[in-house]
Amino acid sequence: MVFPLRLRRRGEHKKEIIPVTGISDIEITIPPQFQCPISFDLMKDPVIVASGITYDRESIEKWIESGKKTCPVTNTVLETFDQIPNHAIRKMIQDWCVEMGSYNGIERIPTPRVPVTPHEVSEICGKLWAATRRGDHTKCGDLVGRIKNLGKESERNKKCLRENGVGFVLCVCFDAFAESENAFLLEEVLSVLTWMLPVGSEGQTKIASAASFRCMVGFLRSMDDSVRQNAAFLLKELLASDETHAFVLSEVDGVEEAFVKLIRDAVSVSSTKSSLTAIYHMISSKPMIVSKFLETGLVNLAVEMIVDAEKSVCEKALAVLDVICETREGGEEVSKNALVMPLLVKKMPKISELATMSSVSLMWKLCKRGNAATAVEEAVRLGAFQKLLVVLQVGCGEGTKEKVTELLKMMNTAMGKMEDDCVDSSMDFKYLKKPF
Protein backbone atom coordinates (compact mmCIF):
# COMPACT_ATOMS: atom_id res chain seq x y z
CA MET A 1 0.00 0.00 0.00
CA VAL A 2 1.25 3.47 -0.89
CA PHE A 3 0.46 6.16 1.70
CA PRO A 4 0.06 9.88 0.98
CA LEU A 5 3.06 11.94 1.98
CA ARG A 6 3.31 15.45 3.34
CA LEU A 7 6.42 17.52 2.67
CA ARG A 8 7.77 19.94 5.26
CA ARG A 9 10.70 22.26 4.67
CA ARG A 10 13.16 22.71 7.53
CA GLY A 11 15.94 25.20 7.24
CA GLU A 12 17.11 26.50 3.90
CA HIS A 13 18.47 23.35 2.29
CA LYS A 14 16.59 20.46 3.83
CA LYS A 15 13.25 18.86 3.21
CA GLU A 16 11.68 16.05 5.24
CA ILE A 17 8.96 13.54 4.39
CA ILE A 18 6.45 12.74 7.13
CA PRO A 19 3.86 9.95 6.68
CA VAL A 20 0.40 11.45 7.11
CA THR A 21 -1.19 8.18 8.14
CA GLY A 22 0.70 8.02 11.39
CA ILE A 23 1.66 4.39 10.96
CA SER A 24 5.24 5.40 11.64
CA ASP A 25 6.68 8.14 13.79
CA ILE A 26 9.92 8.12 11.82
CA GLU A 27 10.64 11.29 9.90
CA ILE A 28 12.59 10.63 6.71
CA THR A 29 15.09 13.23 5.62
CA ILE A 30 16.01 13.30 1.94
CA PRO A 31 19.80 13.03 1.73
CA PRO A 32 21.28 16.33 0.45
CA GLN A 33 23.00 14.62 -2.48
CA PHE A 34 19.57 13.44 -3.70
CA GLN A 35 18.06 16.92 -3.63
CA CYS A 36 18.03 19.23 -6.63
CA PRO A 37 20.03 22.36 -5.74
CA ILE A 38 17.33 24.48 -7.40
CA SER A 39 14.06 23.05 -6.07
CA PHE A 40 15.43 21.03 -3.09
CA ASP A 41 13.06 18.25 -4.19
CA LEU A 42 14.05 14.64 -4.68
CA MET A 43 15.59 14.41 -8.15
CA LYS A 44 13.65 12.23 -10.58
CA ASP A 45 15.91 12.71 -13.58
CA PRO A 46 19.36 13.82 -12.35
CA VAL A 47 21.62 15.32 -15.03
CA ILE A 48 25.11 16.83 -14.98
CA VAL A 49 25.67 20.23 -16.59
CA ALA A 50 28.92 21.72 -17.93
CA SER A 51 29.96 22.98 -14.46
CA GLY A 52 29.92 19.43 -13.09
CA ILE A 53 26.93 20.01 -10.79
CA THR A 54 23.97 17.63 -10.83
CA TYR A 55 20.42 18.98 -11.07
CA ASP A 56 16.98 17.57 -11.76
CA ARG A 57 16.45 17.90 -15.52
CA GLU A 58 13.11 19.71 -15.24
CA SER A 59 14.51 22.33 -12.84
CA ILE A 60 17.69 23.11 -14.78
CA GLU A 61 15.78 23.28 -18.08
CA LYS A 62 13.38 25.84 -16.60
CA TRP A 63 16.42 27.78 -15.33
CA ILE A 64 18.00 27.82 -18.80
CA GLU A 65 14.73 28.56 -20.62
CA SER A 66 14.23 31.60 -18.39
CA GLY A 67 17.31 33.12 -20.05
CA LYS A 68 19.93 32.37 -17.41
CA LYS A 69 23.32 31.20 -18.71
CA THR A 70 25.14 30.41 -15.46
CA CYS A 71 25.32 27.45 -13.12
CA PRO A 72 22.97 28.13 -10.18
CA VAL A 73 25.44 26.72 -7.65
CA THR A 74 28.85 27.90 -8.92
CA ASN A 75 27.56 30.96 -10.80
CA THR A 76 29.99 30.21 -13.62
CA VAL A 77 28.95 30.74 -17.21
CA LEU A 78 27.88 27.46 -18.83
CA GLU A 79 29.87 26.94 -22.01
CA THR A 80 27.25 24.48 -23.21
CA PHE A 81 23.70 23.68 -22.11
CA ASP A 82 24.11 19.95 -22.73
CA GLN A 83 22.82 17.72 -19.94
CA ILE A 84 24.34 14.31 -19.28
CA PRO A 85 22.24 11.79 -17.31
CA ASN A 86 23.80 10.99 -13.93
CA HIS A 87 23.03 7.27 -13.86
CA ALA A 88 24.99 6.67 -10.66
CA ILE A 89 22.97 9.18 -8.61
CA ARG A 90 19.73 8.05 -10.18
CA LYS A 91 20.42 4.43 -9.22
CA MET A 92 21.27 5.48 -5.69
CA ILE A 93 18.02 7.47 -5.44
CA GLN A 94 16.01 4.53 -6.73
CA ASP A 95 17.66 2.17 -4.22
CA TRP A 96 16.98 4.67 -1.42
CA CYS A 97 13.31 4.93 -2.44
CA VAL A 98 13.00 1.14 -2.36
CA GLU A 99 14.61 0.99 1.08
CA MET A 100 12.45 3.74 2.54
CA GLY A 101 9.35 2.52 0.77
CA SER A 102 9.46 -0.82 2.53
CA TYR A 103 7.81 0.73 5.57
CA ASN A 104 6.78 4.25 4.57
CA GLY A 105 5.09 3.80 1.18
CA ILE A 106 7.65 5.77 -0.84
CA GLU A 107 7.49 4.75 -4.48
CA ARG A 108 10.62 4.03 -6.50
CA ILE A 109 11.11 6.71 -9.15
CA PRO A 110 10.93 5.27 -12.67
CA THR A 111 13.96 5.26 -14.90
CA PRO A 112 13.55 8.37 -17.10
CA ARG A 113 13.78 8.19 -20.84
CA VAL A 114 16.56 10.16 -22.47
CA PRO A 115 15.06 13.16 -24.32
CA VAL A 116 15.22 13.16 -28.09
CA THR A 117 18.00 15.25 -29.63
CA PRO A 118 17.87 17.56 -32.66
CA HIS A 119 20.17 15.14 -34.51
CA GLU A 120 17.77 12.23 -33.91
CA VAL A 121 14.85 14.37 -35.06
CA SER A 122 16.71 15.29 -38.26
CA GLU A 123 17.30 11.60 -38.97
CA ILE A 124 13.60 10.82 -38.46
CA CYS A 125 12.63 13.69 -40.79
CA GLY A 126 15.00 12.45 -43.47
CA LYS A 127 13.63 8.92 -43.30
CA LEU A 128 10.01 10.12 -43.34
CA TRP A 129 10.70 12.37 -46.32
CA ALA A 130 12.33 9.52 -48.23
CA ALA A 131 9.52 7.08 -47.40
CA THR A 132 6.93 9.64 -48.49
CA ARG A 133 8.63 10.16 -51.85
CA ARG A 134 8.72 6.38 -52.37
CA GLY A 135 5.05 6.12 -51.48
CA ASP A 136 5.92 3.66 -48.71
CA HIS A 137 2.92 4.16 -46.42
CA THR A 138 3.98 1.30 -44.13
CA LYS A 139 7.36 2.89 -43.35
CA CYS A 140 5.68 6.30 -43.03
CA GLY A 141 3.23 4.83 -40.52
CA ASP A 142 6.07 3.43 -38.42
CA LEU A 143 7.93 6.74 -38.39
CA VAL A 144 4.82 8.79 -37.59
CA GLY A 145 4.09 6.36 -34.77
CA ARG A 146 7.60 6.90 -33.44
CA ILE A 147 7.14 10.67 -33.57
CA LYS A 148 3.84 10.35 -31.73
CA ASN A 149 5.38 8.21 -28.99
CA LEU A 150 8.31 10.59 -28.55
CA GLY A 151 5.86 13.45 -28.12
CA LYS A 152 3.92 11.54 -25.49
CA GLU A 153 7.05 11.06 -23.39
CA SER A 154 7.56 14.72 -22.51
CA GLU A 155 6.85 18.33 -23.42
CA ARG A 156 10.58 18.71 -24.01
CA ASN A 157 10.39 16.14 -26.78
CA LYS A 158 7.41 17.91 -28.33
CA LYS A 159 9.30 21.17 -28.34
CA CYS A 160 12.37 19.55 -29.94
CA LEU A 161 10.21 17.93 -32.63
CA ARG A 162 8.42 21.22 -33.39
CA GLU A 163 11.66 23.18 -33.62
CA ASN A 164 13.42 20.79 -35.99
CA GLY A 165 11.19 20.56 -39.05
CA VAL A 166 8.90 17.65 -38.20
CA GLY A 167 5.74 19.70 -38.83
CA PHE A 168 6.72 20.50 -42.42
CA VAL A 169 7.58 16.88 -43.27
CA LEU A 170 4.28 15.70 -41.76
CA CYS A 171 2.43 18.21 -43.96
CA VAL A 172 4.25 16.84 -47.01
CA CYS A 173 3.34 13.30 -45.96
CA PHE A 174 -0.33 14.15 -45.40
CA ASP A 175 -0.65 15.88 -48.77
CA ALA A 176 1.14 13.03 -50.56
CA PHE A 177 -1.31 10.41 -49.25
CA ALA A 178 -4.41 12.63 -49.00
CA GLU A 179 -6.14 10.98 -51.95
CA SER A 180 -5.08 7.45 -51.04
CA GLU A 181 -7.01 4.95 -48.98
CA ASN A 182 -4.49 4.90 -46.12
CA ALA A 183 -6.94 6.32 -43.58
CA PHE A 184 -5.00 5.11 -40.55
CA LEU A 185 -1.77 6.81 -41.64
CA LEU A 186 -3.59 10.06 -42.39
CA GLU A 187 -5.40 9.97 -39.04
CA GLU A 188 -2.09 9.45 -37.23
CA VAL A 189 -0.45 12.34 -39.10
CA LEU A 190 -3.47 14.51 -38.32
CA SER A 191 -3.29 13.74 -34.59
CA VAL A 192 0.41 14.66 -34.44
CA LEU A 193 -0.08 17.85 -36.44
CA THR A 194 -2.48 19.19 -33.80
CA TRP A 195 0.49 19.77 -31.48
CA MET A 196 3.00 20.63 -34.23
CA LEU A 197 1.50 24.01 -35.11
CA PRO A 198 2.58 26.41 -36.44
CA VAL A 199 4.11 24.57 -39.39
CA GLY A 200 5.33 27.62 -41.32
CA SER A 201 4.30 28.96 -44.71
CA GLU A 202 5.82 26.07 -46.66
CA GLY A 203 4.05 23.53 -44.49
CA GLN A 204 0.75 25.38 -44.89
CA THR A 205 1.15 25.37 -48.66
CA LYS A 206 1.20 21.56 -48.55
CA ILE A 207 -1.44 20.90 -45.91
CA ALA A 208 -3.83 23.54 -47.31
CA SER A 209 -4.01 21.99 -50.77
CA ALA A 210 -7.36 21.06 -52.29
CA ALA A 211 -6.59 17.35 -51.85
CA SER A 212 -5.65 17.75 -48.18
CA PHE A 213 -8.76 19.85 -47.49
CA ARG A 214 -11.02 17.25 -49.11
CA CYS A 215 -9.44 14.62 -46.89
CA MET A 216 -9.93 16.69 -43.72
CA VAL A 217 -13.54 17.48 -44.57
CA GLY A 218 -14.04 13.75 -45.00
CA PHE A 219 -12.62 13.26 -41.51
CA LEU A 220 -15.19 15.73 -40.16
CA ARG A 221 -17.78 13.07 -41.03
CA SER A 222 -15.78 10.24 -39.44
CA MET A 223 -17.31 7.82 -36.97
CA ASP A 224 -14.33 8.43 -34.68
CA ASP A 225 -14.98 11.52 -32.55
CA SER A 226 -11.29 12.12 -31.86
CA VAL A 227 -10.58 12.20 -35.61
CA ARG A 228 -13.42 14.68 -36.12
CA GLN A 229 -12.05 16.92 -33.36
CA ASN A 230 -8.52 16.84 -34.78
CA ALA A 231 -9.75 17.70 -38.28
CA ALA A 232 -11.87 20.60 -37.01
CA PHE A 233 -9.00 21.93 -34.91
CA LEU A 234 -6.48 21.82 -37.75
CA LEU A 235 -8.88 23.44 -40.23
CA LYS A 236 -9.64 26.19 -37.72
CA GLU A 237 -5.94 26.90 -37.19
CA LEU A 238 -5.22 26.99 -40.92
CA LEU A 239 -8.11 29.35 -41.63
CA ALA A 240 -7.08 31.64 -38.79
CA SER A 241 -3.50 31.84 -40.07
CA ASP A 242 -4.31 32.77 -43.67
CA GLU A 243 -7.66 33.97 -45.01
CA THR A 244 -6.87 32.73 -48.53
CA HIS A 245 -7.28 29.15 -47.29
CA ALA A 246 -11.03 29.82 -46.99
CA PHE A 247 -11.31 30.12 -50.79
CA VAL A 248 -9.80 26.67 -51.29
CA LEU A 249 -11.78 25.06 -48.47
CA SER A 250 -15.10 26.55 -49.62
CA GLU A 251 -14.73 24.69 -52.92
CA VAL A 252 -14.88 21.33 -51.14
CA ASP A 253 -18.32 19.77 -51.54
CA GLY A 254 -20.24 19.45 -48.31
CA VAL A 255 -17.85 21.40 -46.08
CA GLU A 256 -20.69 23.58 -44.72
CA GLU A 257 -22.85 20.58 -43.80
CA ALA A 258 -19.86 18.81 -42.24
CA PHE A 259 -19.06 21.70 -39.86
CA VAL A 260 -22.68 22.27 -38.87
CA LYS A 261 -23.28 18.57 -38.29
CA LEU A 262 -20.24 18.43 -36.02
CA ILE A 263 -21.73 21.27 -33.97
CA ARG A 264 -25.16 19.68 -33.92
CA ASP A 265 -23.73 16.34 -32.79
CA ALA A 266 -22.16 18.10 -29.76
CA VAL A 267 -19.10 15.83 -29.89
CA SER A 268 -17.21 18.08 -27.47
CA VAL A 269 -16.92 21.71 -26.45
CA SER A 270 -13.56 21.97 -28.21
CA SER A 271 -14.92 20.63 -31.51
CA THR A 272 -17.87 23.02 -31.30
CA LYS A 273 -15.57 26.00 -30.72
CA SER A 274 -13.25 24.91 -33.53
CA SER A 275 -16.17 24.54 -35.94
CA LEU A 276 -17.70 27.91 -35.03
CA THR A 277 -14.32 29.64 -35.41
CA ALA A 278 -13.71 27.96 -38.77
CA ILE A 279 -17.16 29.01 -39.98
CA TYR A 280 -16.50 32.57 -38.84
CA HIS A 281 -13.26 32.76 -40.82
CA MET A 282 -14.84 31.17 -43.90
CA ILE A 283 -17.71 33.67 -44.00
CA SER A 284 -15.44 36.61 -43.17
CA SER A 285 -13.12 35.76 -46.04
CA LYS A 286 -15.81 34.74 -48.53
CA PRO A 287 -19.23 36.27 -47.69
CA MET A 288 -20.88 34.77 -50.78
CA ILE A 289 -20.90 31.33 -49.11
CA VAL A 290 -23.37 32.54 -46.46
CA SER A 291 -26.29 31.12 -48.42
CA LYS A 292 -24.85 27.61 -48.17
CA PHE A 293 -24.54 27.91 -44.40
CA LEU A 294 -28.07 29.29 -44.12
CA GLU A 295 -29.39 26.18 -45.86
CA THR A 296 -27.91 24.03 -43.07
CA GLY A 297 -29.93 25.79 -40.36
CA LEU A 298 -26.85 27.44 -38.87
CA VAL A 299 -28.70 30.55 -37.66
CA ASN A 300 -31.18 28.68 -35.47
CA LEU A 301 -28.41 26.41 -34.22
CA ALA A 302 -26.23 29.38 -33.23
CA VAL A 303 -29.16 31.05 -31.46
CA GLU A 304 -29.84 27.86 -29.54
CA MET A 305 -26.23 27.81 -28.33
CA ILE A 306 -26.46 31.39 -27.10
CA VAL A 307 -29.37 30.39 -24.87
CA ASP A 308 -27.52 27.91 -22.69
CA ALA A 309 -23.96 27.29 -23.91
CA GLU A 310 -20.85 28.08 -21.90
CA LYS A 311 -19.22 31.49 -22.23
CA SER A 312 -16.60 30.67 -24.87
CA VAL A 313 -19.12 28.90 -27.10
CA CYS A 314 -21.62 31.74 -26.66
CA GLU A 315 -18.94 34.25 -27.70
CA LYS A 316 -18.22 32.36 -30.90
CA ALA A 317 -21.90 31.81 -31.73
CA LEU A 318 -22.54 35.56 -31.40
CA ALA A 319 -19.54 36.31 -33.63
CA VAL A 320 -20.87 33.91 -36.28
CA LEU A 321 -24.31 35.56 -36.26
CA ASP A 322 -22.67 38.97 -36.48
CA VAL A 323 -20.61 38.05 -39.53
CA ILE A 324 -23.64 36.38 -41.15
CA CYS A 325 -25.46 39.73 -40.86
CA GLU A 326 -22.79 41.35 -43.02
CA THR A 327 -24.80 40.11 -45.99
CA ARG A 328 -28.37 41.13 -46.85
CA GLU A 329 -29.52 37.52 -47.09
CA GLY A 330 -27.93 36.64 -43.78
CA GLY A 331 -29.38 39.68 -42.01
CA GLU A 332 -32.88 38.79 -43.19
CA GLU A 333 -32.52 35.22 -41.93
CA VAL A 334 -31.23 36.32 -38.51
CA SER A 335 -34.01 38.90 -38.10
CA LYS A 336 -36.62 36.17 -38.67
CA ASN A 337 -35.59 34.39 -35.47
CA ALA A 338 -37.80 35.76 -32.67
CA LEU A 339 -35.24 34.90 -29.99
CA VAL A 340 -32.37 36.96 -31.38
CA MET A 341 -33.21 40.42 -30.04
CA PRO A 342 -34.35 39.20 -26.60
CA LEU A 343 -31.14 37.19 -26.26
CA LEU A 344 -28.96 40.11 -27.27
CA VAL A 345 -30.57 42.29 -24.62
CA LYS A 346 -30.52 39.59 -21.97
CA LYS A 347 -26.92 38.54 -22.47
CA MET A 348 -25.43 42.03 -22.87
CA PRO A 349 -23.10 42.77 -21.09
CA LYS A 350 -23.16 39.66 -18.88
CA ILE A 351 -20.93 37.24 -20.81
CA SER A 352 -17.68 38.98 -21.74
CA GLU A 353 -16.29 42.02 -23.49
CA LEU A 354 -15.94 40.06 -26.74
CA ALA A 355 -19.54 38.83 -26.55
CA THR A 356 -20.76 42.37 -25.81
CA MET A 357 -18.88 43.69 -28.83
CA SER A 358 -20.56 41.09 -31.09
CA SER A 359 -23.97 41.68 -29.48
CA VAL A 360 -23.80 45.44 -30.00
CA SER A 361 -22.62 45.00 -33.58
CA LEU A 362 -25.39 42.50 -34.32
CA MET A 363 -28.07 44.71 -32.74
CA TRP A 364 -26.77 47.72 -34.68
CA LYS A 365 -27.00 45.83 -37.97
CA LEU A 366 -30.53 44.58 -37.25
CA CYS A 367 -31.70 48.08 -36.29
CA LYS A 368 -30.39 49.59 -39.53
CA ARG A 369 -32.04 47.17 -41.94
CA GLY A 370 -35.27 47.49 -43.92
CA ASN A 371 -37.48 46.76 -40.91
CA ALA A 372 -35.33 48.99 -38.70
CA ALA A 373 -38.26 50.73 -36.97
CA THR A 374 -39.71 47.42 -35.80
CA ALA A 375 -36.33 46.16 -34.58
CA VAL A 376 -35.60 49.41 -32.72
CA GLU A 377 -38.99 49.36 -31.04
CA GLU A 378 -38.56 45.74 -30.01
CA ALA A 379 -35.14 46.48 -28.56
CA VAL A 380 -36.54 49.40 -26.57
CA ARG A 381 -39.40 47.34 -25.15
CA LEU A 382 -36.94 44.64 -24.06
CA GLY A 383 -34.79 47.13 -22.12
CA ALA A 384 -31.94 47.56 -24.59
CA PHE A 385 -31.65 51.30 -23.85
CA GLN A 386 -30.71 50.66 -20.22
CA LYS A 387 -28.33 47.83 -21.15
CA LEU A 388 -26.53 50.00 -23.69
CA LEU A 389 -26.05 52.70 -21.08
CA VAL A 390 -24.42 50.09 -18.85
CA VAL A 391 -22.08 49.14 -21.70
CA LEU A 392 -20.95 52.77 -21.96
CA GLN A 393 -20.44 53.00 -18.21
CA VAL A 394 -18.43 49.78 -18.04
CA GLY A 395 -16.30 50.80 -20.99
CA CYS A 396 -15.78 49.40 -24.50
CA GLY A 397 -13.72 49.86 -27.63
CA GLU A 398 -14.10 52.87 -29.91
CA GLY A 399 -15.92 50.92 -32.61
CA THR A 400 -18.42 49.50 -30.14
CA LYS A 401 -18.86 52.90 -28.47
CA GLU A 402 -19.80 54.48 -31.81
CA LYS A 403 -22.40 51.78 -32.47
CA VAL A 404 -23.82 52.12 -28.94
CA THR A 405 -24.13 55.88 -29.34
CA GLU A 406 -25.95 55.51 -32.65
CA LEU A 407 -28.28 52.88 -31.20
CA LEU A 408 -29.12 55.11 -28.24
CA LYS A 409 -30.03 57.95 -30.59
CA MET A 410 -32.30 55.68 -32.63
CA MET A 411 -33.95 54.30 -29.50
CA ASN A 412 -34.39 57.73 -27.97
CA THR A 413 -36.25 58.83 -31.09
CA ALA A 414 -38.35 55.68 -31.04
CA MET A 415 -39.27 56.13 -27.39
CA GLY A 416 -40.63 59.58 -28.15
CA LYS A 417 -43.07 58.05 -30.61
CA MET A 418 -44.09 55.15 -28.42
CA GLU A 419 -47.12 55.54 -26.21
CA ASP A 420 -45.54 53.62 -23.34
CA ASP A 421 -41.88 54.48 -22.90
CA CYS A 422 -41.59 52.88 -19.47
CA VAL A 423 -39.82 49.71 -20.36
CA ASP A 424 -39.13 46.93 -17.92
CA SER A 425 -35.52 45.77 -18.53
CA SER A 426 -36.19 42.51 -16.69
CA MET A 427 -38.89 41.52 -19.16
CA ASP A 428 -39.07 37.77 -19.54
CA PHE A 429 -39.14 36.29 -23.03
CA LYS A 430 -39.97 32.69 -22.19
CA TYR A 431 -43.32 33.16 -23.91
CA LEU A 432 -41.57 33.32 -27.28
CA LYS A 433 -41.74 30.11 -29.25
CA LYS A 434 -38.50 28.68 -30.58
CA PRO A 435 -38.41 28.57 -34.39
CA PHE A 436 -36.55 25.27 -34.29
Side-chain angles (χ1 to χ4, degrees):
M1 180 180 295
V2 176
F3 300 102
L5 302 174
R6 173 162 47 93
L7 300 178
R8 184 174 71 199
R9 193 180 296 280
R10 287 188 174 180
E12 186 178 356
H13 301 292
K14 183 183 291 185
K15 183 178 288 186
E16 293 187 346
I17 302 177
I18 304 96
V20 175
T21 57
I23 64 167
S24 172
D25 294 329
I26 299 175
E27 293 187 353
I28 305 173
T29 301
I30 299 177
Q33 67 270 29
F34 297 166
Q35 295 176 341
C36 175
I38 297 175
S39 66
F40 302 115
D41 288 332
L42 184 68
M43 292 186 287
K44 297 180 180 179
D45 187 5
V47 294
I48 306 171
V49 297
S51 62
I53 306 298
T54 297
Y55 298 94
D56 187 69
R57 188 188 296 275
E58 182 178 358
S59 296
I60 192 62
E61 284 185 347
K62 287 181 179 178
W63 172 274
I64 295 171
E65 288 172 1
S66 68
K68 298 180 177 67
K69 300 179 180 180
T70 59
C71 170
V73 172
T74 66
N75 204 35
T76 57
V77 176
L78 296 173
E79 296 180 358
T80 174
F81 295 141
D82 292 344
Q83 300 148 27
I84 303 172
N86 192 330
H87 298 297
I89 287 293
R90 182 200 23 97
K91 183 65 169 59
M92 291 169 65
I93 292 174
Q94 289 177 325
D95 291 342
W96 178 82
C97 287
V98 171
E99 182 182 350
M100 295 297 102
S102 61
Y103 55 89
N104 281 289
I106 301 176
E107 292 183 323
R108 177 182 182 275
I109 62 170
T111 301
R113 293 181 179 273
V114 178
V116 68
T117 65
H119 177 70
E120 290 174 319
V121 173
S122 295
E123 285 188 343
I124 294 173
C125 286
K127 292 177 181 178
L128 181 56
W129 179 278
T132 299
R133 295 188 66 178
R134 295 195 308 271
D136 188 346
H137 62 86
T138 301
K139 183 63 175 179
C140 286
D142 292 340
L143 291 166
V144 173
R146 184 180 174 190
I147 293 170
K148 188 174 184 178
N149 290 333
L150 286 171
K152 287 180 178 179
E153 288 180 9
S154 68
E155 286 300 319
R156 184 185 188 281
N157 280 0
K158 283 186 178 181
K159 182 180 179 181
C160 186
L161 290 164
R162 280 194 296 265
E163 294 177 348
N164 289 278
V166 173
F168 169 70
V169 181
L170 286 173
C171 289
V172 172
C173 181
F174 190 92
D175 182 57
F177 292 98
E179 295 183 305
S180 70
E181 297 181 358
N182 298 294
F184 179 76
L185 169 61
L186 292 165
E187 289 171 5
E188 287 291 280
V189 174
L190 190 67
S191 68
V192 176
L193 278 172
T194 58
W195 47 266
M196 277 291 168
L197 302 174
V199 294
S201 58
E202 292 184 350
Q204 285 190 34
T205 300
K206 289 294 183 181
I207 198 67
S209 68
S212 293
F213 274 156
R214 283 194 295 271
C215 180
M216 282 185 267
V217 170
F219 283 150
L220 289 178
R221 308 187 188 97
S222 170
M223 297 298 291
D224 188 326
D225 287 345
S226 64
V227 173
R228 299 177 77 187
Q229 291 182 68
N230 290 337
F233 175 79
L234 189 57
L235 286 169
K236 178 259 295 185
E237 291 293 314
L238 290 171
L239 291 172
S241 65
D242 189 338
E243 63 179 16
T244 61
H245 295 331
F247 292 87
V248 181
L249 181 60
S250 64
E251 295 299 318
V252 178
D253 290 338
V255 60
E256 297 86 6
E257 293 86 349
F259 272 126
V260 173
K261 187 176 187 306
L262 184 56
I263 296 172
R264 205 181 298 278
D265 291 347
V267 172
S268 68
V269 172
S270 62
S271 64
T272 296
K273 290 193 292 187
S274 292
S275 298
L276 286 170
T277 304
I279 291 170
Y280 173 83
H281 287 298
M282 287 183 71
I283 297 175
S284 297
S285 303
K286 195 176 180 182
M288 62 280 293
I289 64 172
V290 162
S291 57
K292 292 185 178 180
F293 277 110
L294 295 182
E295 292 172 1
T296 67
L298 175 61
V299 169
N300 290 339
L301 183 59
V303 171
E304 186 176 4
M305 285 186 286
I306 295 171
V307 174
D308 54 12
E310 66 164 34
K311 183 179 77 171
S312 59
V313 172
C314 188
E315 286 177 347
K316 290 170 175 56
L318 283 166
V320 166
L321 288 177
D322 184 36
V323 77
I324 284 176
C325 276
E326 290 286 345
T327 66
R328 179 189 59 79
E329 185 181 9
E332 291 175 354
E333 187 69 22
V334 172
S335 63
K336 290 178 185 177
N337 191 300
L339 281 176
V340 172
M341 191 63 77
L343 280 172
L344 293 178
V345 177
K346 185 178 179 66
K347 297 290 185 178
M348 183 175 56
K350 292 182 178 180
I351 303 172
S352 67
E353 183 178 349
L354 183 61
T356 297
M357 182 176 71
S358 296
S359 298
V360 170
S361 177
L362 182 53
M363 184 181 293
W364 178 79
K365 289 170 184 174
L366 293 175
C367 289
K368 287 177 69 66
R369 293 202 168 273
N371 56 349
T374 303
V376 172
E377 182 177 330
E378 181 186 12
V380 171
R381 291 189 180 282
L382 290 166
F385 192 88
Q386 294 89 334
K387 288 293 187 71
L388 290 170
L389 288 175
V390 172
V391 171
L392 285 180
Q393 292 172 351
V394 172
C396 55
E398 282 301 315
T400 301
K401 186 182 296 184
E402 291 176 5
K403 290 183 176 65
V404 170
T405 302
E406 189 174 350
L407 283 167
L408 288 173
K409 289 178 180 179
M410 287 189 286
M411 291 179 187
N412 189 50
T413 301
M415 285 192 291
K417 299 178 182 179
M418 294 167 63
E419 293 182 0
D420 182 12
D421 57 5
C422 298
V423 183
D424 180 6
S425 62
S426 63
M427 180 178 181
D428 192 1
F429 55 92
K430 293 181 180 178
Y431 66 89
L432 289 169
K433 184 179 180 181
K434 288 186 178 183
F436 44 84

